[in-house]
């Protein structure tokens, strides 16, 4: 499997690289590395575990909403490691937005 590894503060991102596309799926959908970092570091997202063990998450960055498909890798108190399969811009529903905001208030 082809991946690109990025380091940002306490985060490690392994991003799926599609040789046929000549790019990552994330970049192919117009999502930047900075947006991935914001998505996970701001923790303004909702995630559900899929049957294959990966997660499907919807949430917000500083500038827009995304859907991100990822797997948790090795997670410690000092380091958070994600394998990001793909991500794209996503319009949050009112219920999703309300759920994210209520999590922030807790």
């Amino acid at each position: 499997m082809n991946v690109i590894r990025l380091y940002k503060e306490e985060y490690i991102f392994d991003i799926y690289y599609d040789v046929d596309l000549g790019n990552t799926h994330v970049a192919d959908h117009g999502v930047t590395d900075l947006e991935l970092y914001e998505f996970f570091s701001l923790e303004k997202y909702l995630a559900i575990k899929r049957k294959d063990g990966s997660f499907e998450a919807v949430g917000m960055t500083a500038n827009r909403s995304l859907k991100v498909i990822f797997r948790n890798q090795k997670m410690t108190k000092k380091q958070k490691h994600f394998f990001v399969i793909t991500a794209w811009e996503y319009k949050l529903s009112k219920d999703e937005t309300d759920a994210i905001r209520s999590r922030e208030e807790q």
Side-chain angles (χ1 to χ4, degrees):
M1 177 169 304
N2 298 310
V3 298
I4 292 175
R5 179 165 283 182
L6 302 172
Y7 297 90
K8 177 83 170 149
E9 297 179 10
E10 73 272 17
Y11 291 87
I12 299 172
F13 297 104
D14 289 336
I15 303 173
Y16 178 69
Y17 183 85
D18 189 321
V19 176
D20 293 333
L21 288 175
N23 210 345
T24 65
H25 276 259
V26 172
D28 195 49
H29 291 292
V31 177
T32 68
D33 302 342
L34 178 59
E35 286 176 308
L36 285 178
Y37 169 71
E38 287 177 359
F39 184 88
F40 288 106
S41 66
L42 293 174
E43 296 184 0
K44 294 182 176 183
Y45 64 89
L46 305 170
I48 58 166
K49 192 168 189 174
R50 301 178 349 160
K51 289 181 183 179
D52 67 359
S54 65
F55 290 86
E56 184 173 317
V58 295
M60 298 180 256
T61 67
N63 297 313
R64 65 180 175 160
S65 303
L66 300 176
K67 181 176 270 194
V68 181
I69 309 300
F70 69 95
R71 290 184 183 272
N72 287 330
Q73 300 296 87
K74 187 176 179 181
M75 306 294 263
T76 67
K77 289 181 181 180
K78 292 184 177 184
Q79 197 168 64
K80 298 172 179 97
H81 187 174
F82 298 98
F83 171 54
V84 180
I85 300 163
T86 192
W88 61 92
E89 188 168 12
Y90 175 81
K91 181 165 175 46
L92 292 169
S93 71
K94 181 181 180 330
D95 289 342
E96 290 167 333
T97 302
D98 291 346
I100 291 167
R101 289 197 174 126
S102 71
R103 282 186 59 205
E104 290 174 357
E105 294 169 2
Q106 295 176 3

